[in-house]
């Protein structure tokens, strides 16, 4: 969509100033970008059927946003759907602007049907590939797009400048309304239906019915360096990706640069981004880009289909009717945890980092699925006549509906939340064992309070109470260092020596391994209420979430900004 620039008078004055004083100016002045997001129903045909899906500006995926580090975004969201809507700017730190973060009933009440809300925030010291998506029910299935942050003017990438670059958004498609899918699961207490296809830039590819003509084509020229910005926007599935015949050089992830490394396959959990460079040095032809599930949970159904796009060496020398079929991409087995583990271990910061220390808060969070007992009058489609749930430290997160948590905090509204979220599990047990028994979590809206500037080290421990699987945990408002990952139950005496204290990667979403753990560290330097949750949307629906309440520091620059005047009401 077009970006509305300054008014004509401001533009003329700026132009005059620039021409008069050009020798004294750099081109690094930050800009303000205005966008209008019209959230609306749009008919879209996929897999031989036409569905009315929720889109932004009639586009699927939605519009890509491109800015520079230091720019400001002002995005007005108009809701023309029958559903509540919010937009989350995934990975944006939102320094002091938590009101613009987007998770419904956490930092704002949703934009109701017919309503309007304007998100205002500035990009501060971030560059790379992020994305935006709906953060209300399962609207994220079709409401998402890339958010690309380029370096400031006269700055460049810390790697070879590519000849061209493309965002590649991986998605998940249902042959029915995704909102109906999750509503049915909530009503029955069972798992939702799996998706019918995966997509690459909105298209499933030619391995699905009625999808060959619309397959996504990525045109390149021979002998080029190309930057591919992969984004996993799928709702509930981690995805392997490979490109036939091509080795990828990973150069960034979650809008943080990494020490470059080569790989034949990448794996992205929902919420994660990975930037890779490829060199188009193979024979002139067409090559599949393929994506399919990494399914870590044992014996659970998953979408076992494969999405494709085509990397096309477009040199004008291949006659259309006689084009060869694309070369096949090789993907790991759906349960290849060894490949995932090796890939995750390869991420390191480009140079040694100064880790925040000493640690003020040592936290230990168990993350996993649980079961609620079936109450009289309930439909209970879970195992052994139960209802599926999820929790962190045996607390199943409940969203309030009368106020957002941040508004309740700002206005001191009682009864919306408490600040007694446990720093460790209330009961210790063999978290990853085979016979761990049942867990019935406590449904509640509990927060953990952090003092401004405190250093937090958090152990995320997966459990196998119902089904052990890889959990992609995303923290809003922050980046964090991943110090280590491992399998089994975390043991400080044994596992602390495995910490990477030299060059750990900086991310905003970490995969907690199946029957394993991950350790992250960050500084609580951004006041507000910040959601920590599993980015498998079915898990956050079941309550696999909590929130940190970071108190204001000293002075205006360490305090949350006042709420905007147009902040929606519940």
């Amino acid at each position: 969509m077009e970006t509305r620039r300054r008014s004509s008078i401001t533009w003329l004055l700026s132009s005059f100033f620039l021409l008069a004083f050009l020798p004294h100016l750099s081109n690094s002045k930050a800009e303000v970008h205005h966008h209008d997001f019209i959230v609306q129903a749009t008919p879209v045909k996929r897999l031989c059927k036409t569905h009315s899906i929720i889109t932004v500006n009639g586009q699927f995926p939605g519009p890509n946003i491109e800015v520079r580090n230091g720019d400001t975004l002002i995005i007005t969201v108009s809701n023309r759907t029958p559903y509540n809507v919010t937009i989350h700017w995934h990975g944006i730190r939102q320094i002091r602007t938590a009101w613009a973060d987007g998770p419904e009933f956490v930092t704002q009440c949703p934009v109701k049907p017919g309503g309007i809300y304007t998100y205002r925030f500035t990009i501060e010291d971030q560059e790379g590939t992020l994305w935006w998506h709906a953060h209300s029910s399962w609207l994220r299935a079709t409401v998402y797009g890339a958010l690309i942050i380029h370096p400031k003017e006269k700055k460049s990438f810390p790697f070879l400048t590519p000849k061209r670059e493309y965002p590649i958004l991986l998605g998940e498609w249902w042959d029915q309304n995704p909102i109906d899918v999750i509503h049915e699961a909530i009503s029955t207490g069972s798992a939702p239906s799996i998706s019918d296809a995966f997509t690459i830039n909105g298209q499933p590819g030619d391995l699905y019915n009625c999808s060959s003509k619309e397959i996504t084509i990525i045109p390149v020229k021979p002998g080029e360096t190309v930057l591919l910005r992969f984004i996993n926007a799928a709702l509930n599935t981690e995805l392997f990706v490979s490109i036939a015949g091509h080795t990828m050089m990973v150069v960034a992830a979650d809008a943080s640069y990494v020490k470059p490394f080569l790989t034949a396959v990448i794996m992205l959990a929902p919420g994660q981004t990975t930037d890779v460079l490829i060199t188009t040095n193979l024979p002139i032809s067409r090559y599949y880009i393929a994506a399919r599930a990494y399914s870590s949970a044992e014996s659970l159904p998953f979408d076992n289909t494969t999405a494709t796009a085509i990397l096309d060496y477009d040199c004008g020398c291949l006659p259309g009717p006689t084009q060869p079929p694309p070369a096949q991409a090789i993907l790991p087995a759906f349960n290849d945890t060894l490949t995932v583990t090796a890939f995750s271990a390869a991420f390191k910061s480009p140079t040694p980092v100064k880790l925040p220390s000493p640690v003020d808060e040592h936290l230990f969070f168990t993350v996993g699925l649980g079961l609620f007992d079936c109450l009289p009058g309930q439909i209970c489609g879970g195992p052994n006549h139960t209802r599926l749930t999820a929790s962190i430290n045996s607390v199943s997160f409940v969203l309030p509906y009368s106020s957002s948590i941040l508004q309740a905090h700002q206005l001191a509204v009682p009864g919306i939340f408490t600040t007694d979220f446990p720093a460790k599990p209330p009961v210790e047990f063999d978290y990853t064992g085979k016979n761990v028994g049942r867990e019935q979590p406590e449904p509640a809206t509990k927060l953990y309070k952090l003092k401004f500037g405190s250093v937090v080290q958090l152990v995320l421990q997966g459990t196998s109470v119902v089904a052990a699987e890889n959990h992609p945990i995303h923290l809003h408002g922050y980046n964090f260092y991943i110090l280590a990952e491992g399998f089994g139950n975390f043991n400080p005496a044994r596992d602390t020596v495995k910490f990477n204290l030299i060059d750990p990667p900086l991310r905003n979403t970490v995969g907690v391994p199946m029957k394993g753990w991950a350790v992250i560290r960050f500084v609580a330097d951004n006041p507000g209420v910040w959601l920590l949750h599993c980015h498998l949307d079915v898990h956050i629906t079941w309550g696999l979430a909590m929130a940190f309440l970071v108190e204001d520091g000293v002075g205006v620059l360490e305090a949350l900004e006042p709420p905007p005047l147009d902040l929606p009401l519940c």
Side-chain angles (χ1 to χ4, degrees), residues 397-527:
F397 192 70
V398 176
L399 290 172
Y401 291 98
S402 60
S403 169
S404 78
I405 297 173
L406 187 60
Q407 287 167 290
H409 165 61
Q410 186 80 355
L411 299 174
V413 178
I416 302 299
F417 65 87
T418 61
T419 55
D420 57 344
F421 189 88
K424 62 181 182 179
V427 177
E428 295 185 8
F429 58 95
D430 181 6
Y431 307 114
T432 59
K434 291 184 178 180
N435 300 302
V436 297
R438 274 194 51 186
E439 177 187 45
Q440 176 150 316
E442 174 194 2
T445 309
K446 295 188 176 186
L447 279 59
Y448 192 90
K449 188 179 290 188
L450 293 171
K451 291 183 178 180
F452 186 93
S454 59
V455 177
V456 182
Q457 184 163 294
L458 170 58
V459 177
L460 295 161
Q461 173 69 62
T463 69
S464 56
V465 173
V466 175
E469 59 185 302
N470 193 301
H471 292 283
I473 301 298
H474 171 52
L475 176 58
H476 288 228
Y478 287 89
N479 291 326
F480 48 74
Y481 290 105
I482 302 176
L483 302 187
E485 299 172 13
F487 292 97
N489 298 328
F490 178 77
N491 183 332
R494 178 191 64 218
D495 295 324
T496 302
V497 296
K498 302 174 184 176
F499 287 5
N500 178 359
L501 304 178
I502 305 300
D503 54 0
L506 191 65
R507 304 291 298 262
N508 63 53
T509 304
V510 58
V512 179
M514 177 191 69
K515 296 184 180 180
W517 51 267
V519 182
I520 65 174
R521 189 184 293 184
F522 64 96
V523 180
D525 58 359
N526 192 10

Side-chain angles (χ1 to χ4, degrees), residues 228-252:
L228 302 178
R229 301 176 179 270
F230 285 98
I231 299 166
N232 188 353
L235 217 59
N236 293 314
T237 307
E238 300 172 296
L239 292 166
F240 286 119
V241 182
S242 69
I243 307 173
H246 291 74
T247 298
M248 294 174 277
M249 177 180 286
V250 177
V251 293

Side-chain angles (χ1 to χ4, degrees), residues 123-400:
I123 312 295
E124 297 189 34
D125 297 322
Q126 290 185 274
E127 55 187 64
T129 305
L130 294 174
W131 62 302
W132 58 265
H133 61 80
H135 213 298
S136 182
S137 186
W138 271 24
L139 288 182
R140 182 168 75 81
T142 55
V143 179
Y144 60 83
L147 202 173
I148 297 169
I149 307 170
H150 297 284
K152 293 181 179 181
E153 289 280 1
K154 296 189 176 181
K155 300 290 184 179
S156 59
F157 299 119
F159 48 79
L160 181 66
T161 301
K163 181 69 175 179
R164 61 184 79 202
E165 57 183 78
Y166 297 101
I168 299 182
L169 293 101
L170 311 172
E172 202 165 4
W173 177 266
W174 275 262
D175 243 348
Q176 55 185 314
N177 184 347
I179 302 297
D180 293 341
V181 173
I182 188 57
H183 281 177
E184 180 180 2
I186 292 172
S187 67
T188 62
S190 58
S193 303
I194 61 173
S195 55
D196 296 288
F198 299 116
T199 59
I200 299 178
N201 288 356
Q203 293 293 341
D206 54 9
L207 300 184
Y208 299 88
N209 293 333
C210 308
S211 304
S212 297
K213 293 181 180 179
E214 295 80 17
I215 188 170
T216 297
I217 305 291
I218 307 296
V220 296
K221 300 288 185 184
E224 294 182 334
T225 297
V226 180
L227 174 61
L228 302 178
R229 301 176 179 270
F230 285 98
I231 299 166
N232 188 353
L235 217 59
N236 293 314
T237 307
E238 300 172 296
L239 292 166
F240 286 119
V241 182
S242 69
I243 307 173
H246 291 74
T247 298
M248 294 174 277
M249 177 180 286
V250 177
V251 293
D254 292 356
S256 292
Y257 295 116
V258 302
K259 190 173 296 181
F261 65 93
L262 299 175
T263 183
V265 62
I266 62 176
M267 196 286 286
L268 299 91
Q272 291 182 325
T273 72
T274 303
D275 295 356
V276 306
L277 293 176
I278 61 169
T279 303
T280 54
N281 55 4
L282 297 185
I284 294 170
S285 188
R286 300 186 301 159
Y287 300 87
Y288 271 132
I289 303 172
R292 77 173 177 210
Y294 165 55
S295 180
S296 57
E298 299 171 352
S299 304
L300 292 184
F302 67 97
D303 184 342
N304 197 21
T305 61
T306 302
T308 55
I310 295 175
L311 187 73
D312 187 2
Y313 280 41
D314 179 20
C315 65
C317 48
L318 292 172
T322 59
Q323 283 188 338
Q328 295 292 327
I330 299 174
L331 288 163
F334 73 89
N335 58 354
D336 190 347
T337 296
L338 289 178
T339 292
V340 174
T341 303
F343 179 68
S344 180
F347 284 89
K348 293 178 172 58
S349 287
T351 58
V353 302
K354 185 178 180 180
L355 275 175
S357 62
V359 175
D360 302 299
E361 297 273 2
H362 287 273
L363 305 178
F364 189 102
F365 289 179
T366 55
V367 296
L369 306 186
L371 299 170
F372 281 146
D373 289 334
C374 192
L375 300 178
Q378 284 186 321
I379 301 173
C380 299
N384 300 317
H385 197 55
T386 58
R387 294 177 63 87
L388 287 164
T389 183
S391 66
I392 300 179
N393 277 0
S394 298
V395 178
S396 186
F397 192 70
V398 176
L399 290 172

